[in-house]
Amino acid sequence: MMFTLNKLAVAAVMAAAVSSASAEELRMGTASLGGAFYPMGQSISNLVNNHAGGDISMVPIVTGGSVQNPRLIGDGEVEIAITNNNLAALAVAGAGPYKSGPIEISAVAALHPSVLHMVVLDDSDIQTFSDLKGKRVAVGPAGGGTLGFMNFLLPLHEMTLDDFTPSFLSYSDGFSQLTDGNVDASLALSGYPAGAVMQAAAGQKLRFISFEADKLQAALDKVSSYIAVEIAADVYNTEAPATVIGVSNMLIVPSSADADVVEKIVASVFDNLDEFRAENANAKQIDPAMSTRLSIPLHEGAARYFNK
């Protein structure tokens, strides 16, 4: 990992010291800078700090991302976190990247979808996923969801990580390396628009790598929680829209979390959706109804809110 979580947590907590010493402070696991999870965590934390009545406060923490966050919940290093539908189900089952044992987490709410940005400069000779062979590819941080998606997609293309040169970089660094010519492609599993991609698009013309038609459908058939998402051309000023693979995200907490606290968090966010959407572009993609159709059960406190 390219950072020390505990040091970042201490720094973030110190930077976000709250006025009330009696407030219960919650650390939210997000992801690396440059993606959508960290600003999403900032917005949710702001809503909780402004509307939970002073009983609780929240601070976003930079982490490795959606794969690592359930582990951080299980280890008690964060009290709430963002992950995706597929990984949450695997964590509860003790499967996939969580084979060391099931993690006792529950869902809090559905969030925006994350999509797999597979991006090159517009004049690149890389057209499809298979063209990544032999190239230099920024694949996101080692604990993030991008690499998890790659480990799923590579076998479908009869490829492994050994078929290209991976760089395990934050999204910001990965897309900076793309525009500087130090990598041939940069990947990010993120909500859209993603800050790192927007920054790269401001200085360079970008293009999405496409799937061979049968490969995308094979991926969707294999994992029911994956979805196809169209990114309009005007999002990143590309020549054409792109159809990408994605997955819905969710907030998670330990199953043992206090139900009253969880209900206050949910109410702080979903009673103030207009404020949320004004502050965070990805919040416009949140459908509250999806919170009752997640891959793991809702925590008791969240169920009180959504089922009333």
Side-chain angles (χ1 to χ4, degrees):
M1 221 184 298
M2 300 184 69
F3 54 84
T4 302
L5 178 63
N6 288 337
K7 290 182 179 178
L8 283 169
V10 170
V13 169
M14 290 177 64
V18 295
S19 58
S20 173
S22 63
E24 179 182 357
E25 192 161 61
L26 306 176
R27 298 161 294 180
M28 173 180 283
T30 60
S32 67
L33 298 175
F37 277 16
Y38 188 79
M40 178 64 64
Q42 284 183 309
S43 295
I44 292 172
S45 296
N46 289 340
L47 290 168
V48 170
N49 295 337
N50 291 336
H51 299 290
D55 295 331
I56 56 176
S57 67
M58 188 176 291
V59 58
I61 304 297
V62 174
T63 72
S66 54
V67 174
Q68 187 193 33
N69 285 343
R71 296 193 190 103
L72 296 177
I73 290 276
D75 293 340
E77 295 201 51
V78 298
E79 289 74 41
I80 186 168
I82 307 173
T83 191
N84 67 52
N85 260 346
N86 185 53
L87 290 171
L90 292 174
V92 168
Y98 311 104
K99 290 180 180 176
S100 59
I103 303 174
E104 294 185 1
I105 57 174
S106 298
V108 175
L111 297 177
H112 64 289
S114 280
V115 301
L116 184 60
H117 295 74
M118 299 190 296
V119 177
V120 295
L121 299 182
D122 190 55
D123 60 357
S124 171
D125 62 350
I126 300 172
Q127 299 293 329
T128 67
F129 189 96
S130 297
D131 292 335
L132 293 174
K133 289 182 180 179
K135 303 297 186 179
R136 303 164 299 170
V137 184
V139 295
T146 302
L147 189 59
F149 250 83
M150 287 298 287
N151 288 334
F152 165 73
L153 292 173
L154 285 167
L156 293 180
H157 293 80
E158 299 181 347
M159 294 169 61
T160 71
L161 280 175
D162 294 332
D163 286 314
F164 52 82
T165 302
S167 293
F168 301 96
L169 302 170
S170 71
Y171 296 157
S172 293
D173 288 343
F175 278 86
S176 176
Q177 293 288 304
L178 176 66
T179 57
D180 289 344
N182 295 320
V183 298
D184 302 303
S186 190
L187 279 56
L189 182 66
S190 172
Y192 65 94
V197 188
M198 293 288 286
Q199 186 171 357
Q204 295 273 11
K205 190 74 172 175
L206 304 179
R207 176 169 49 77
F208 279 85
I209 301 168
S210 64
F211 282 102
E212 297 88 340
D214 61 325
K215 299 298 185 186
L216 176 57
Q217 190 57 51
L220 299 177
D221 290 343
K222 194 173 181 69
V223 179
S224 60
S225 57
Y226 291 165
I227 55 177
V229 178
E230 182 170 291
I231 307 295
D234 61 1
V235 173
Y236 298 117
N237 195 31
T238 54
E239 285 295 326
T243 300
V244 298
I245 192 168
V247 64
S248 293
N249 297 305
M250 70 169 81
L251 282 174
I252 56 171
V253 292
S255 296
S256 60
D258 183 88
D260 291 338
V261 170
V262 173
E263 186 175 14
K264 284 182 180 179
I265 292 170
V266 177
S268 296
V269 175
F270 287 87
D271 284 352
N272 299 283
L273 275 178
D274 288 345
E275 181 181 340
F276 193 10
R277 289 165 175 161
E279 180 177 337
N280 187 291
N282 295 119
K284 297 173 184 176
Q285 302 161 18
I286 294 175
D287 178 2
M290 293 299 295
S291 293
T292 59
R293 301 197 292 271
L294 294 169
S295 62
I296 62 173
L298 281 172
H299 189 279
E300 177 190 349
R304 286 181 195 169
Y305 182 90
F306 289 113
N307 294 330
K308 65 185 177 182

